[in-house]
């Protein structure tokens, strides 16, 4: 029987733990973690994510410091805002929702966020720490989506040591940090990308297949080894026709209906990786808060 990994449930467990922890921290220090959420413009997908992140943060007792900025804001003014947030005492984490408008250099912005307040784990210092650190990740700020994937894999209680993993996608947000995390688990990791030769054949050798390419339903049944674990990071909106009407549907990078019966475990879309990403953002914010208390 294929296990369908319930990201909603695992994320709820993590949020419950964080909520309890924050209640205890508040009782002891009379403060709660604060997360600054910076959104620029009105990209529809970003608005959906920011709303979900804000709602979950409030649910666990994190204070939200909201900055919704005009699409036309200059890079300089955005940098000024981030520097202000870097020095603001009630802000423990700063999240700048990506993508940014074309006139703003994403890397300059991510580099401006103080590494101690880097709720996404995208700052070069934290990226470096992840790549050289020991196995203990208790006070590291780690990119949320790959960490959420790792928690789902750990939740399966399978021995990850020596497993062949193929990560499809080499982004800084998912592919590369995912590979670092799994290396730390002693997996043998291959990162595949758009120039990889014979991709489907490579994937067929994977004990664990992680699809993070952003191409709807690209992973088909014949890409997957019998009994493999399949983690679908993709969130793609596609147009479908239903009852003569054009509708949009959310699908992953994996063709679920084909792959489900072949995998030993699989994440659905929606309800898989997505909720875990948000829960891990709350975790990072709480870690940043605790790190500050202990400094
Ligand atoms: N845009 C898509 N995914 C992410 C994410 O994990 N963090 C931020 N800040 N922006 C995103």
């Amino acid at each position: 029987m294929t296990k369908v990994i319930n990201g909603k449930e695992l994320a709820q467990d993590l949020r419950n733990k964080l909520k309890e922890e924050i209640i205890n921290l508040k009782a002891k220090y009379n403060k709660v973690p604060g997360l600054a959420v910076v959104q620029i413009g009105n990209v529809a997908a970003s608005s959906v994510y920011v709303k979900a992140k804000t709602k979950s943060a409030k649910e666990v007792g994190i204070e939200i410091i909201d900055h919704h900025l005009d699409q036309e804001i200059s890079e300089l003014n955005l940098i000024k805002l981030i520097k202000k947030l870097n020095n603001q005492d009630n802000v423990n984490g700063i999240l700048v929702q990506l993508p940014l408008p074309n006139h703003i250099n994403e890397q300059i912005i991510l580099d401006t966020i103080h590494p101690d307040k880097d709720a996404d784990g995208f700052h070069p210092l934290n990226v470096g720490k992840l790549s050289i650190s020991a196995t203990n990740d208790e006070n590291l700020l780690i990119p949320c989506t790959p960490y959420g994937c790792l928690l789902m894999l750990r939740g399966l209680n399978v021995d990850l040591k020596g497993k062949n993993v193929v990560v499809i996608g080499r982004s800084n947000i998912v592919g590369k940090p995912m590979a670092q995390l799994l290396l730390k688990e002693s997996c043998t990791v291959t990162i595949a990308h758009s120039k990889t030769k014979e991709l489907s054949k490579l994937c067929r050798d994977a004990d664990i297949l992680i699809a993070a390419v952003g191409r709807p339903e690209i992973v088909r049944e014949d890409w997957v080894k019998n009994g493999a674990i399949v983690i679908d990071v993709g969130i793609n909106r596609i147009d479908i026709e239903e009852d003569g009407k054009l509708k949009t549907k959310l699908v992953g990078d994996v063709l679920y209906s084909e792959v489900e019966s072949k995998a030993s475990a699989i994440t659905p879309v929606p309800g898989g990786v997505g909720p875990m990403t948000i829960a891990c953002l709350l975790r990072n914010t709480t870690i940043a808060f605790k790190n500050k208390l202990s400094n």
Side-chain angles (χ1 to χ4, degrees):
M1 259 289 276
T2 306
K3 177 173 174 55
V4 180
I5 302 170
N6 190 334
K8 267 193 193 168
E9 214 170 88
L10 287 169
Q12 185 67 57
D13 290 347
L14 185 51
R15 287 201 302 274
N16 291 344
K17 279 193 201 122
L18 289 169
K19 191 172 177 175
E20 202 180 309
E21 194 177 6
I22 290 168
I23 288 172
N24 292 334
L25 286 164
K26 188 177 178 188
K28 198 161 167 197
Y29 299 100
N30 198 25
K31 330 187 227 203
V32 296
L35 174 65
V37 177
V38 181
Q39 185 187 351
I40 294 116
N42 286 302
V43 175
S46 292
S47 296
V48 172
Y49 293 135
V50 163
K51 202 170 153 197
K53 288 172 182 178
T54 302
K55 182 169 173 261
S56 297
K58 287 181 178 165
E59 181 199 315
V60 302
I62 290 175
E63 183 197 352
I64 291 290
I65 298 98
D66 177 36
H67 287 274
H68 194 168
L69 309 170
D70 195 89
Q71 171 82 11
E72 303 303 327
I73 188 174
S74 68
E75 188 177 283
L76 190 63
N77 280 340
L78 181 56
I79 289 172
K80 277 188 191 157
L81 170 67
I82 292 171
K83 285 187 174 166
K84 191 178 111 192
L85 296 171
N86 282 342
N87 291 315
Q88 202 168 307
D89 220 35
N90 66 332
V91 172
N92 302 103
I94 301 170
L95 161 88
V96 178
Q97 186 64 30
L98 305 176
L100 296 177
N102 286 337
H103 66 277
I104 298 177
N105 183 314
E106 196 166 288
Q107 198 56 53
I108 290 178
I109 298 304
L110 297 179
D111 290 0
T112 305
I113 296 173
H114 193 288
D116 293 346
K117 296 193 175 187
D118 176 26
D120 267 311
F122 294 161
H123 188 282
L125 188 81
N126 290 320
V127 174
K129 277 186 181 174
L130 175 64
S131 75
I132 60 171
S133 73
T135 48
N136 177 8
D137 47 51
E138 280 313 297
N139 47 19
L140 267 184
L141 300 176
I142 300 172
C144 306
T145 300
Y147 195 66
C149 294
L150 178 64
L151 293 182
M152 291 197 288
L153 289 171
R154 284 187 184 154
L156 293 172
N157 287 323
V158 296
D159 188 5
L160 295 175
K161 275 193 244 41
K163 288 278 188 295
N164 281 329
V165 181
V166 173
V167 180
I168 320 174
R170 56 177 155 179
S171 71
N172 292 334
I173 295 183
V174 185
K176 284 188 237 172
M178 186 78 253
Q180 293 290 2
L181 285 167
L182 291 167
L183 263 181
K184 278 176 32 156
E185 299 289 328
S186 300
C187 295
T188 303
V189 187
T190 306
I191 304 182
H193 47 77
S194 56
K195 304 285 185 293
T196 297
K197 293 200 172 79
E198 299 190 82
L199 179 58
S200 57
K201 185 164 168 269
L202 181 77
C203 291
R204 262 198 305 281
D205 275 337
D207 303 312
I208 300 172
L209 183 59
I210 302 196
V213 256
R215 301 262 303 271
E217 299 179 327
I218 186 180
V219 176
R220 307 290 299 257
E221 189 216 351
D222 60 341
W223 291 38
V224 177
K225 181 163 87 170
N226 257 328
I229 298 168
V230 179
I231 306 284
D232 189 353
V233 179
I235 300 178
N236 311 288
R237 251 167 237 285
I238 58 164
D239 291 330
I240 55 157
E241 209 185 301
E242 213 176 76
D243 306 328
K245 284 185 195 143
L246 206 60
K247 293 184 174 175
T248 63
K249 184 184 173 203
L250 219 53
V251 299
D253 292 348
V254 175
L255 184 52
Y256 188 90
S257 57
E258 270 189 24
V259 172
E260 185 195 9
S261 57
K262 215 150 174 206
S264 61
I266 186 168
T267 61
V269 177
V273 176
M276 290 301 285
T277 296
I278 298 179
C280 290
L281 172 73
L282 311 179
R283 173 190 175 273
N284 275 349
T285 306
T286 310
I287 287 175
F289 177 72
K290 288 191 292 182
N291 286 348
K292 189 178 167 201
L293 290 173
S294 63
N295 278 336

